Amino acid sequence: MAVAELTLSSKNYSSWSLRGWLLCRLAGLKVEEKPVALDDPENRAELLLLSPSVLVPRLTHEGASVWDTLAIAEYLHELYPQAAMYPADRIARAHCRSVSGEIHSGFANLRSALPMNLKVRHARFPIFSGAKADIERVETIWQECLDSYGGPWLFGDTPTVADAMFAPVAQRFLTYAVPVTQTSAAYCQTINNWPLMREWIDAARAEPEEMAELEIEF
């Protein structure tokens, strides 16, 4: 396959970069990573949830420039349908698109209360009330998918776009020791043990940069 370029932000802090990278790996697309510096004002504002960014993730491939994680997912699915990024069944595929779109466009309270930080683990962490409804909704989505399709991934025995989209959420739950059901805890471990996730985490932990604003201690 042709080499593509994927513009990324911090591997430790950027959930959107993680999603874009996982999607490319699911598709089997070889990418050359192009990092954006933490001191880039637009990138920094996006990481701090102060404004959206069109910088990351951005996939450049054979003349196409694609940003936004769901746009990247659809682009890759169109090019590489054999990668089975979405379920083969029409009903399951619609379900996968729906839950992927939901996590993509919502859950602002969860994002702000539990920012992604792959270098740390908190044994106890206060969960603000505004984030609790988001956590409950995530668990409902996971339970419905795992019950319907048998797990261990959200849509069966192989990862899909939905797992790439929810991977940062699972890592947040682990980082902040969020109390969850046994089913959710098992799914978080499925994500954490995913070889692609381990590869990303190892790279994140090797990053020298830190953002003091996101190094939350309570």
Side-chain angles (χ1 to χ4, degrees):
M1 294 183 182
V3 175
E5 184 177 85
L6 184 66
T7 303
L8 298 170
S9 181
S10 166
K11 290 190 173 182
N12 188 49
Y13 302 114
S14 178
S15 58
W16 296 111
S17 294
L18 169 57
R19 291 179 174 111
W21 185 85
L22 287 173
L23 291 167
C24 289
R25 294 295 296 270
L26 279 176
L29 178 64
K30 182 179 180 181
V31 296
E32 179 179 325
E33 297 177 17
K34 180 182 178 183
V36 177
L38 280 184
D39 59 4
D40 181 285
E42 188 172 351
N43 181 39
R44 194 173 185 86
E46 190 269 337
L47 287 173
L48 293 172
L49 306 178
L50 298 176
S51 70
S53 171
V54 298
L55 290 177
V56 296
R58 179 186 291 269
L59 175 64
T60 305
H61 176 251
E62 296 185 346
S65 181
V66 192
W67 62 99
D68 183 276
T69 50
L70 284 185
I72 291 171
E74 293 297 331
Y75 177 79
L76 293 170
H77 175 64
E78 179 182 334
L79 286 183
Y80 309 114
Q82 73 279 4
M85 297 175 67
Y86 286 105
D89 176 76
R90 177 179 63 88
I91 303 300
R93 191 163 61 251
H95 191 185
C96 183
R97 282 193 165 104
S98 294
V99 299
S100 297
E102 186 174 350
I103 192 61
H104 175 273
S105 60
F107 301 89
N109 288 327
L110 173 58
R111 299 182 205 281
S112 60
L114 306 174
M116 193 169 89
N117 189 336
L118 298 174
K119 293 183 180 181
V120 301
R121 284 287 187 272
H122 296 273
R124 297 181 63 186
F125 194 85
I127 308 297
F128 301 119
S129 58
K132 290 181 179 178
D134 284 356
I135 293 169
E136 290 173 1
R137 177 56 189 156
V138 166
E139 289 206 84
T140 297
I141 291 171
W142 289 356
Q143 188 72 56
E144 289 174 350
C145 289
L146 295 167
D147 286 347
S148 297
Y149 307 105
W153 305 95
L154 292 179
F155 288 86
D157 58 4
T158 57
T160 64
V161 168
D163 299 291
M165 295 300 294
F166 278 97
V169 180
Q171 290 301 145
R172 283 177 165 99
F173 287 2
L174 292 172
T175 292
Y176 298 102
V178 176
V180 293
T181 66
Q182 186 175 355
T183 298
S184 293
Y187 178 67
C188 288
Q189 287 304 320
T190 295
I191 292 293
N192 195 52
N193 294 334
W194 191 4
L196 295 182
M197 191 71 245
R198 299 314 308 171
E199 181 180 341
W200 180 275
I201 290 172
D202 287 344
R205 289 176 175 168
E207 282 184 345
E209 300 91 347
E210 290 188 355
M211 290 182 66
E213 302 95 325
L214 293 177
E215 295 299 324
I216 299 173
E217 295 287 350
F218 285 95

